Amino acid sequence: MVILGRARVSSLEQANNSHALEQQIHRLRDAGATEILSETESGKSKKQLQKLIDRIRQGDVTEIVATRIDRITRSLVQLREFIEICTTLGVNLRILDQQIDLKTPHGRLMLNMLGSLAEWEVDLLQDRVRHGWQHLRRERRAPGIVPFGYKREGDRYFPNLEPYQDTGKSYWEIGREIVETFLMIGTIRGTAREMGLRYGDRRSPNKYSSEEFPREVGLRYWLCNPVLRGHLGYFYRDRVKETILVPDCHEALISGAEFAEIQRLLEFARKSERKTNDIKPLAGLVYCGLCGGKMKAYKKTKNGRTAIRWYCAATHAPVPSCVKSPGIRNEILESATVRALVERAAVLSNTIEGARVAIEDTAEILELLESLRSLEALPLNPIFEEAKTKLKSQIAEARIKLRQEMESQQDLEKELLGAYADIEFWEKWLTSSEKRRAFKRFVQCVVVKAGQVERVELLV
């Protein structure tokens, strides 16, 4: 039969004392443990505790030995569940430092008391961390890891104007170059490839360094980092907690309009077809008017001539006639789309230059403001204050998003009027790949029904 030793250290503990885990294992061996289950994991994690429970349920373990109660778990709920499992399976639990033995009533009492104290200690730590984050937000202090292109001096972010390796450019300039390259190419992989070709592989031979510009894996995360838009983002890296923004705290690397376009390109890349080529500029934008599904282009070559027709790609269409619906030629689709853009440009050219509609709060923002006014009418209370802080952050974030959308829309209108208002320009001067980039910027979707273009929905 097996006496199982449980050894555990947290990541912070391991960093402060690299021999902590080794010391526990030696003590457990001296206490009679014949097998050791060890890991580096938070005491609140249930994943590693479940491994211990699974090992006990194999039926050959007679006793569990640990140096301290928090080596089992720091959660009182998890500890009670674990004790119940041990009792049911007839497995004894022995804690060395507190001299606890589950075989005795006194040992079971002490075990519950120490478990309560361990959980209380964790709650106190979480409370201190929460107050610390609130203080950082009030003081508008820069949190977290400094993204590429910036440096932190004191508690603020500043553009990093130091030279980047041997490129002759600063970190800030390389950051702007990445953004401009992505806006031109429109894909994460293409941007990473282009930047790699320009500057070669300057990565460390051993591991990735935060001093290097973001590659394909981290590029999406970097582009969406609120720091690049001039905001402070608290809990941005946390997958559970909601990000809290403090707007306009330092110089922005990405403008609001650019970020809106970045979001649109990232969303388009996620939804569009994986495999496209230059002879299908509308790939990912054509939809069936009967079932709402995407249409797919099929290429056929006959007598040396290549023809492309679009058909509904739905395999289980809700409308029986959908899959039998006649296709539509690619040139008809492109012609209708270009004509819709040129007509839209003509409408925009008739508007008064400089006339802009004032930005008004949306229904969502008005609802948040009303909730904030209700909270401000209540007596002072730490819980209410925290709720007000969160609401103010949500209002600021919603207004930033609204402003970005307005700026992006204005930029799109100017671009359409400046370069794409002439149908001859589309037909004679643009390549298929250039058309594809333009369609991604200006077109929401093209809807086809019964072999005819039903409508072209634009983003301008």
Side-chain angles (χ1 to χ4, degrees):
M1 303 301 284
V2 176
I3 298 177
L4 185 62
R6 160 79 163 180
R8 182 193 62 77
V9 291
S10 65
S11 300
L12 179 60
E13 204 172 11
Q14 180 73 10
N16 293 335
N17 181 5
S18 60
H19 300 293
L21 190 60
E22 182 182 346
Q23 291 167 4
Q24 285 186 53
I25 293 173
H26 279 306
R27 291 188 61 195
L28 294 172
R29 293 288 188 194
D30 292 340
T34 58
E35 184 180 323
I36 304 294
L37 185 63
S38 62
E39 70 273 334
T40 301
E41 185 74 37
S42 167
K44 292 285 284 184
S45 172
K46 197 172 181 179
K47 181 180 178 181
Q48 298 298 337
L49 180 61
Q50 187 60 46
K51 288 184 179 179
L52 177 61
I53 293 172
D54 293 341
R55 180 65 184 84
I56 294 171
R57 283 176 173 160
Q58 292 179 13
D60 59 345
V61 177
T62 58
E63 188 174 58
I64 302 293
V65 184
T67 56
R68 295 204 313 258
I69 186 64
D70 60 0
R71 301 309 173 190
I72 302 296
T73 178
R74 284 183 176 270
S75 167
L76 178 59
V77 174
Q78 292 178 14
L79 178 63
R80 285 174 176 165
E81 291 176 353
F82 181 71
I83 292 172
E84 185 178 349
I85 291 170
C86 288
T87 304
T88 303
L89 299 176
V91 177
N92 186 39
L93 177 62
R94 190 154 48 98
I95 309 298
L96 301 181
D97 285 356
Q98 288 84 21
Q99 298 182 352
I100 294 174
D101 194 326
L102 194 56
K103 292 178 180 178
T104 66
H106 177 73
R108 288 192 291 272
L109 174 64
M110 287 297 295
L111 201 60
N112 276 298
M113 290 177 62
L114 289 170
S116 298
L117 289 173
E119 187 170 30
W120 176 66
E121 181 185 354
V122 172
D123 289 342
L124 285 178
L125 177 61
Q126 290 176 341
D127 196 51
R128 289 196 297 270
V129 169
R130 181 171 59 83
H131 286 298
W133 279 112
Q134 288 177 349
H135 177 70
L136 286 177
R137 292 198 298 272
R138 283 195 300 268
E139 298 294 323
R140 298 167 72 91
R141 294 184 179 181
I145 298 173
V146 182
F148 183 88
Y150 285 89
K151 62 180 179 179
R152 182 161 47 195
E153 293 181 358
D155 295 318
R156 292 181 61 83
Y157 290 127
F158 293 93
N160 190 346
L161 303 179
E162 297 176 2
Y164 175 67
Q165 299 185 11
D166 57 350
T167 61
K169 299 180 180 180
S170 68
Y171 284 81
W172 182 262
E173 290 173 321
I174 295 291
R176 274 302 309 169
E177 194 170 332
I178 296 171
V179 173
E180 291 165 2
T181 303
F182 177 78
L183 290 172
M184 180 182 68
I185 295 177
T187 65
I188 293 291
R189 180 171 296 179
T191 302
R193 185 186 299 113
E194 176 63 26
M195 293 301 295
L197 289 173
R198 290 181 193 177
Y199 299 108
D201 194 348
R202 289 176 164 79
R203 287 174 288 186
S204 167
N206 299 321
K207 62 180 182 178
Y208 175 81
S209 169
S210 60
E211 295 297 317
E212 299 157 7
F213 61 79
R215 300 302 175 117
E216 185 173 343
V217 174
L219 185 54
R220 179 187 295 269
Y221 176 86
W222 181 80
L223 286 168
C224 296
N225 194 322
V227 173
L228 272 63
R229 287 169 273 147
H231 314 319
L232 296 181
Y234 297 93
F235 308 119
Y236 176 65
R237 298 173 66 88
D238 197 306
R239 295 185 178 183
V240 178
K241 297 180 181 177
E242 183 179 354
T243 300
I244 297 177
L245 292 183
V246 180
D248 305 325
C249 294
H250 51 265
E251 186 174 348
L253 180 70
I254 298 175
S255 69
E258 285 175 332
F259 181 65
E261 177 62 13
I262 286 170
Q263 283 186 307
R264 197 187 69 79
L265 289 172
L266 290 173
E267 180 67 14
F268 181 88
R270 185 182 69 84
K271 289 183 176 181
S272 65
E273 298 175 359
R274 288 179 179 269
K275 295 182 180 179
T276 59
N277 53 50
D278 284 349
I279 61 173
K280 294 184 282 188
L282 284 167
L285 296 173
V286 186
Y287 290 82
C288 174
L290 292 173
C291 72
K294 279 191 176 183
M295 297 187 70
K296 187 175 181 180
Y298 294 88
K299 180 176 68 173
K300 291 185 178 181
T301 302
K302 187 176 181 180
N303 298 328
R305 299 182 61 182
T306 299
I308 299 175
R309 293 184 71 89
W310 292 77
Y311 297 91
C312 180
T315 54
H316 300 286
V319 182
S321 60
C322 176
V323 292
K324 297 181 181 179
S325 179
I328 184 171
R329 297 204 312 273
N330 185 68
E331 56 266 29
I332 295 177
L333 269 181
E334 286 191 26
S335 177
T337 306
V338 169
R339 189 166 57 252
L341 286 167
V342 172
E343 290 173 357
R344 177 59 180 159
V347 172
L348 291 174
S349 66
N350 292 327
T351 60
I352 300 174
E353 179 64 28
R356 298 298 180 199
V357 179
I359 300 178
E360 297 181 359
D361 288 337
T362 62
E364 177 192 3
I365 297 175
L366 293 174
E367 186 177 344
L368 291 172
L369 287 169
E370 183 61 32
S371 299
L372 181 60
R373 282 192 289 269
S374 300
L375 282 174
E376 288 175 340
L378 298 173
L380 289 177
N381 184 290
I383 297 176
F384 297 156
E385 292 302 310
E386 186 176 354
K388 284 193 284 187
T389 300
K390 186 175 180 180
L391 276 173
K392 288 177 181 177
S393 174
Q394 290 175 340
I395 293 168
E397 188 174 356
R399 283 176 170 166
I400 290 169
K401 184 178 179 181
L402 180 61
R403 187 175 70 231
Q404 290 172 349
E405 290 173 352
M406 292 290 291
E407 291 174 355
S408 177
Q409 186 69 15
Q410 292 169 7
D411 288 347
L412 275 178
E413 292 174 1
K414 289 179 181 178
E415 186 176 351
L416 181 63
L417 284 170
Y420 300 100
D422 186 356
I423 196 165
E424 186 177 352
F425 175 75
W426 282 92
E427 294 175 348
K428 293 185 177 181
W429 298 103
L430 290 185
T431 64
S432 292
S433 58
E434 289 170 338
K435 285 182 181 180
R436 175 162 174 76
R437 285 197 292 270
F439 288 153
K440 284 198 296 184
R441 283 190 61 76
F442 301 123
V443 180
Q444 177 71 41
C445 65
V446 182
V447 180
V448 176
K449 189 174 181 180
Q452 301 292 327
V453 176
E454 186 178 51
R455 65 183 185 277
V456 179
E457 297 182 8
L458 304 178
L459 294 169
V460 290

